[in-house]
Amino acid sequence: MPEHRDCDYCGDDIEPGTGTMFVRTNGTTIHYCSAKCEKNADLGREPRDLEWTEDGGAGTEVSEE
């Protein structure tokens, strides 16, 4: 049975057989669901500052008036 993974950057589910696993020299692994997440992490952007991530979109509630 394939193991369930979440993207370490945006929090989305990663389907088995897709995504990228980055292994650091100290042995820790980082899982990315897309090149978009990987590139934003390489640029040093924080996920909480981006609206399309789970951390960034959590605090923005749109009220309809």
Side-chain angles (χ1 to χ4, degrees):
M1 186 94 199
E3 190 172 334
H4 170 75
R5 303 231 183 252
D6 290 328
C7 179
D8 290 327
Y9 192 77
C10 71
D12 286 345
D13 292 334
I14 302 174
E15 294 184 23
T18 63
T20 304
M21 180 171 62
F22 180 74
V23 182
R24 294 181 185 256
T25 55
N26 62 2
T28 59
T29 59
I30 301 171
H31 300 277
Y32 297 112
C33 65
S34 64
K36 179 180 180 180
C37 292
E38 190 173 355
K39 289 175 185 176
N40 276 286
D42 288 342
L43 289 172
R45 295 182 178 150
E46 293 291 329
R48 66 176 177 258
D49 295 335
L50 302 171
E51 292 181 11
W52 53 270
T53 61
E54 190 174 271
D55 292 337
T60 57
E61 293 291 327
V62 177
S63 62
E64 295 180 23
E65 292 181 19

